Amino acid sequence: MNDRPLVDKFLKTRSERAFTALYRAKTPRLYQVALRLTAHDQHRAEELIQEMWIIAVKKLAGFEWRSELMTWLTGILINLSRREKKQNAGELAAQETWQGDWVEEDEEPAFTTDDLEIAMDQLSPGYRRVVILHDIEGYRHKEIAAMLDLNEGTSKSQLHHARKVLRQYLIKGKDKNTRP
Amino acid sequence: MKEELSNYEKKIFGRLKREEQPPADLEKRIVEQLKSDHLITSNTYKMNPIIKWVAASAAAVLLFFTGNYMGKQTIEKQGIDPNRGYMLILHEDDQFKPGDPQEMYQEYGAWMQDTMSKGIAMTGHELKNEADIVDARQHVEHLDENSARKTTGYFILEAESLEVALQVARSNPHIKYGGTIEVKQYMVR
């Protein structure tokens, strides 16, 4: 989608109408990201979206279109959630380590989207972020590194570890569900 | 150790919802905060030419009903004679190129005064660019203001004939700026 007309109109008028057009075009996807970032804490997700738009409106005139608008907005959102989590719990949950056996290709567990959402909610914020950005939203490591101010290698490494832990949670979840 | 997602995992990731409609009041809260921080202006701050035109025409309406046409009542009070009823529906698409707001304001005002001076009573209003379309399944499709074709205003008028109503439509400044006007005659059974 070409977002320039929406942005140009907003910057030209600074009107409520132009803002709501922009808001409605972009927020449903960003809100879904915010819900996942907050492990489905709806109140916090709404706060993140509100803070994100306030910052975006302040900075939009300086946006240079070196990325898609959605990438830029997602970057603001991600960093707001990151700042909060840094304050609360530190990064990347170093305590999350892989302890189980790996599931080989031919013995993959069957899991649903609900199982996956639940497992992602259990990830540490840092792991969850990289899985959301890469495996759900489809950003490349280069883009993720730019958003999170990391180098690409760190992004790849985080994703590697995040997937391992995620699979562990999926197996645990499955075991729990299949226990008598 | 497996590093890449398996096909099965990719499939499940691919099925995750990509969008979630936020609560309706979130938009309102954000808009209110942006307004209070003076980061946006409210919709009524800059009037659309049609609103201006309707506002400007108040004086013309007064003149109309107190001047040569004293004794007649307004459409709002009396309603219109269905046998002489027409609706003008204003549409815009990417061909619509609005001009200078002040100039448009004056043009619309002059147009309305001119029309009413010919004994044609009318009312009208601007419509928001966006729309919500409800279908038989109770599904609501939202068309935002960037939709290709928009209905942006209407007028209801009393005219002697379809030809007169068409003439009123042809003379409306909306045409000059690239808009189109649909002229609909009242159905009388």
Side-chain angles (χ1 to χ4, degrees):
Chain A
M1 179 183 177
N2 182 8
D3 297 316
R4 277 187 185 254
L6 281 174
V7 172
D8 289 347
K9 187 163 186 181
F10 173 71
L11 292 175
K12 189 176 174 185
T13 64
R14 292 269 170 189
S15 69
E16 177 184 340
R17 181 174 302 159
F19 171 73
T20 53
L22 194 57
Y23 172 92
R24 290 173 189 176
K26 296 293 155 197
T27 302
R29 183 146 189 175
L30 292 160
Y31 183 59
Q32 179 65 272
V33 172
L35 282 171
R36 290 192 174 115
L37 286 171
T38 58
H40 293 88
D41 178 338
Q42 186 178 329
H43 176 71
R44 187 58 200 133
E46 289 177 30
E47 284 182 344
L48 281 177
I49 291 292
Q50 183 161 353
E51 290 174 58
M52 183 213 72
W53 277 116
I54 302 301
I55 292 171
V57 166
K58 286 178 180 172
K59 294 186 172 179
L60 197 53
F63 177 52
E64 296 176 337
W65 298 97
R66 286 183 292 192
S67 65
E68 295 286 327
L69 178 65
M70 183 58 89
T71 306
W72 183 69
L73 292 170
T74 303
I76 297 173
L77 188 66
I78 285 280
N79 280 293
L80 282 169
S81 77
R82 194 183 186 200
R83 189 180 62 192
E84 177 192 54
K85 294 298 178 185
K86 268 184 184 171
Q87 288 165 356
N88 292 342
E91 279 293 87
L92 289 179
Q95 65 272 30
E96 278 188 332
T97 54
W98 174 246
Q99 295 168 348
D101 294 330
W102 201 248
V103 179
E104 298 302 330
E105 191 78 43
D106 58 357
E107 52 178 284
E108 272 188 319
F111 58 91
T112 66
T113 52
D114 285 346
D115 296 332
L116 184 53
E117 293 278 13
I118 291 167
M120 282 195 298
D121 285 353
Q122 297 173 73
L123 286 175
S124 67
Y127 283 176
R128 197 184 310 135
R129 267 195 297 275
V130 77
V131 169
I132 291 169
L133 290 175
H134 191 278
D135 290 342
I136 301 178
E137 295 302 314
Y139 290 108
R140 293 165 298 168
H141 285 295
K142 185 178 179 183
E143 294 171 305
I144 296 168
M147 277 187 208
L148 299 178
D149 196 23
L150 306 169
N151 61 51
E152 282 188 58
T154 305
S155 175
K156 287 176 185 172
S157 169
Q158 284 188 9
L159 181 65
H160 175 77
H161 291 294
R163 283 175 177 171
K164 284 199 294 185
V165 176
L166 184 63
R167 285 168 179 139
Q168 187 179 25
Y169 285 139
L170 281 167
I171 292 166
K172 279 182 184 172
K174 190 189 173 201
D175 288 347
K176 195 186 290 180
N177 291 338
T178 53
R179 260 176 219 141
Chain B
M1 186 180 293
K2 187 169 57 175
E3 296 185 8
E4 297 303 317
L5 291 181
S6 68
N7 288 335
Y8 181 80
E9 288 169 333
K10 283 180 187 169
K11 187 169 75 175
I12 301 300
F13 268 109
R15 286 180 184 168
L16 291 175
K17 281 177 72 178
R18 290 293 188 275
E19 293 190 350
E20 180 72 32
Q21 282 299 329
D25 66 330
L26 180 59
E27 175 182 317
K28 191 176 173 186
R29 293 203 305 268
I30 294 172
V31 165
E32 288 309 312
Q33 186 177 347
L34 289 168
K35 281 186 194 172
S36 73
D37 292 348
H38 305 291
L39 293 169
I40 62 171
T41 57
S42 63
N43 282 340
T44 53
Y45 185 72
K46 285 189 175 180
M47 292 171 73
N48 179 291
I50 296 179
I51 290 180
K52 287 181 174 178
W53 165 63
V54 171
S57 67
V61 171
L62 195 61
L63 180 68
F64 178 74
F65 289 110
T66 57
N68 295 335
Y69 303 93
M70 180 75 79
K72 290 190 178 182
Q73 289 184 301
T74 65
I75 284 175
E76 286 83 357
K77 284 180 182 173
Q78 193 179 39
I80 68 168
D81 176 0
N83 294 302
R84 291 155 38 97
Y86 294 87
M87 184 174 219
L88 274 50
I89 307 166
L90 280 63
H91 301 291
E92 294 176 17
D93 58 19
D94 58 5
Q95 299 299 308
F96 187 78
K97 309 289 183 202
D100 174 67
Q102 183 62 29
E103 213 170 281
M104 291 178 80
Y105 161 74
Q106 289 169 350
E107 278 183 297
Y108 275 96
W111 174 81
M112 190 166 188
Q113 286 196 39
D114 180 60
T115 304
M116 290 196 297
S117 72
K118 294 171 183 165
I120 298 168
M122 68 165 69
T123 185
H125 213 284
E126 177 199 19
L127 298 173
K128 286 190 172 184
N129 287 348
E130 54 210 89
D132 292 282
I133 298 174
V134 183
D135 66 19
R137 297 167 297 155
Q138 301 297 310
H139 177 71
V140 179
E141 182 189 3
H142 181 75
L143 301 180
D144 66 21
E145 63 175 17
N146 298 300
S147 300
R149 191 163 184 265
K150 299 178 280 283
T151 302
T152 54
Y154 75 92
F155 300 103
I156 291 172
L157 56 89
E158 271 189 10
E160 288 297 327
S161 65
L162 174 61
E163 185 48 47
V164 172
L166 286 170
Q167 191 50 47
V168 171
R170 285 190 194 103
S171 64
N172 188 295
H174 190 70
I175 300 290
K176 171 184 160 185
Y177 291 107
T180 56
I181 300 178
E182 184 180 356
V183 179
K184 301 282 285 185
Q185 191 166 4
Y186 272 38
M187 167 68 87
V188 179
R189 296 183 188 276

